[in-house]
Amino acid sequence: MALEDVPPTGPLGLFLGFWRDETVVIRSPMRPAEALAAVSERVDPMFTLFGKRPARGYLGTRGGWLRKRIHYRNSSQTVVRFDVTGTGPGPG
């Protein structure tokens, strides 16, 4: 669900609230390759069972997904999916 979308109300809104997606835009002064390199330093590959980094997931050249590393079972844990796009340097 994008931030400008209006969520459903009533019982349907309550039911769908558990599976709602939210879109958040984060802007950074870094170039896309630099941003992905900075994130990759803190992420273990997705099938690493006993890693030391705070997250595990998949990082590609244009985005990926992350899951915070926890040491207990949580089948409803949040997964962050993201795309990295660049618009180039701004004016000035």
Side-chain angles (χ1 to χ4, degrees):
M1 173 170 104
L3 293 176
E4 58 272 358
D5 292 343
V6 177
T9 59
L12 180 61
L14 180 64
F15 179 74
L16 292 177
F18 294 109
W19 292 281
R20 184 177 13 189
D21 288 338
E22 184 174 331
T23 300
V24 177
V25 176
I26 299 173
R27 301 193 190 287
S28 171
M30 293 198 269
R31 291 192 155 95
E34 294 171 348
L36 283 170
V39 171
S40 69
E41 294 173 0
R42 309 287 291 170
V43 178
D44 280 327
M46 64 181 156
F47 294 114
T48 304
L49 295 177
F50 301 107
K52 302 276 186 201
R53 296 176 180 169
R56 64 186 184 112
Y58 167 76
L59 295 172
T61 57
R62 302 185 76 189
W65 65 267
L66 302 173
R67 176 177 279 182
K68 182 179 176 182
R69 182 178 299 284
I70 57 175
H71 300 287
Y72 54 89
R73 182 179 165 88
N74 184 357
S75 57
S76 61
Q77 184 182 9
T78 300
V79 175
V80 176
R81 290 175 183 84
F82 63 94
D83 296 320
V84 176
T85 59
T87 57

